[in-house]
Amino acid sequence: MNRTRGSIPPRCCNLAIGEKDETRFIRMMKAAGNPLRFQILKFLVTHPGCITGEIVDHLPIAQATVSQHLKVLREAGWIKGEVDGPAVCYELSTENTTWFRTLVERVF
Amino acid sequence: MNRTRGSIPPRCCNLAIGEKDETRFIRMMKAAGNPLRFQILKFLVTHPGCITGEIVDHLPIAQATVSQHLKVLREAGWIKGEVDGPAVCYELSTENTTWFRTLVERVF
DNA sequence: CTTTTATATCGTAATATTGCGATATGAACC
DNA sequence: GGTTCATATCGCAATATTACGATATAAAAG
């Protein structure tokens, strides 16, 4: 091959992604890129509508830690929680997971 | 709604994902979930075959740091580097990005 | 064989994340 | 009102990540 340094190969394609979309995308990746948070996502895929306590029972970590991870997933847009009396029912955000899937397909 | 605690809703579906695949998937997510590493991925999408130095020139961080990030991306499977004399040409691993895309579609 | 060029690795400081117990909040029930 | 239940937040320790300069490695050129 032996290309000379300084001659960056020309763009093979255009990857139009806005700054906001990019930030949002990276945040979702980062949030999902943690083993325990991924367990939570998996659990919610198969058990939509579960409350925090049920997720806590399903995982080997303390309630406070689960709550923290749920917050990260919420803020990243992966999940949404609906208050139900003293409890909170969680489920994946269809809208955002779809958006994520679409962006993965567009970028890679 | 007011479901009683202890009655976890039944599985709505089966999410068959092996332990190895899951680990690999999480690792790719984590690797891509960093702003600078995502810049590198983006750069390689549009400029396949670039050498490390060209990536360094394109980013506001030191060579040592870029090298470290490239290692993370390599170990996660996102990219592969081909030695070309004293330099290394990097490009996305089509095989692994495809695998990643497929898994995103299967899980979410 | 020495020098140059390109990259990787080492050691380390600064920062961020993770996990926990303790505590606060807030709804439902008595 | 007070009590219970479910969750969130606070404060902090342990750990991990990030970034860098300095140095090592290794190929090519002289």
Side-chain angles (χ1 to χ4, degrees):
Chain A
M1 202 179 179
N2 266 310
R3 286 190 306 94
T4 339
R5 173 67 185 285
S7 65
I8 299 181
R11 282 180 179 279
C12 71
C13 55
N14 244 321
L15 183 67
I17 174 172
E19 200 183 354
K20 283 219 173 139
D21 276 353
E22 190 175 306
T23 307
R24 185 178 163 199
F25 189 57
I26 292 171
R27 195 137 97 144
M28 285 186 86
M29 287 276 213
K30 185 176 181 179
N34 168 285
L36 285 167
R37 284 197 292 266
F38 190 72
Q39 294 311 308
I40 296 177
L41 288 180
K42 261 194 353 186
F43 189 67
L44 287 177
V45 168
T46 52
H47 300 91
C50 266
I51 65 174
T52 308
E54 289 163 347
I55 300 169
V56 171
D57 293 347
H58 186 251
L59 294 174
I61 50 176
Q63 179 267 322
T65 311
V66 172
S67 188
Q68 221 172 221
H69 282 310
L70 285 170
K71 189 181 182 182
V72 174
L73 290 172
R74 244 188 296 122
E75 288 175 350
W78 278 112
I79 63 174
K80 52 185 177 183
E82 194 198 339
V83 175
D84 171 28
V88 181
C89 294
Y90 280 105
E91 60 184 348
L92 287 202
S93 160
T94 316
E95 201 185 332
N96 287 331
T97 53
T98 301
W99 177 85
F100 181 80
R101 211 180 328 112
T102 307
L103 209 59
V104 166
E105 279 156 29
R106 198 165 88 215
V107 176
F108 301 113
Chain B
M1 200 177 182
N2 265 309
R3 286 191 305 94
T4 338
R5 173 66 185 286
S7 66
I8 298 181
R11 282 180 179 277
C12 69
C13 56
N14 245 321
L15 183 67
I17 174 173
E19 199 180 3
K20 283 218 172 141
D21 276 353
E22 191 175 306
T23 307
R24 185 178 164 200
F25 189 58
I26 292 170
R27 194 137 98 144
M28 285 187 87
M29 287 276 213
K30 185 175 180 180
N34 169 284
L36 285 167
R37 283 196 294 265
F38 190 72
Q39 295 311 307
I40 296 176
L41 287 180
K42 260 193 356 185
F43 189 69
L44 288 177
V45 168
T46 52
H47 301 91
C50 266
I51 64 173
T52 307
E54 290 162 347
I55 301 170
V56 171
D57 293 347
H58 186 252
L59 294 174
I61 51 175
Q63 179 267 323
T65 311
V66 172
S67 188
Q68 221 173 222
H69 282 309
L70 285 170
K71 189 181 181 182
V72 174
L73 290 171
R74 243 187 296 121
E75 287 175 351
W78 279 111
I79 63 174
K80 52 186 177 182
E82 194 198 340
V83 175
D84 170 27
V88 181
C89 294
Y90 281 104
E91 60 184 349
L92 288 201
S93 161
T94 317
E95 200 185 334
N96 287 331
T97 54
T98 301
W99 177 85
F100 181 81
R101 211 180 328 111
T102 307
L103 210 58
V104 167
E105 278 156 30
R106 198 164 88 214
V107 176
F108 302 114

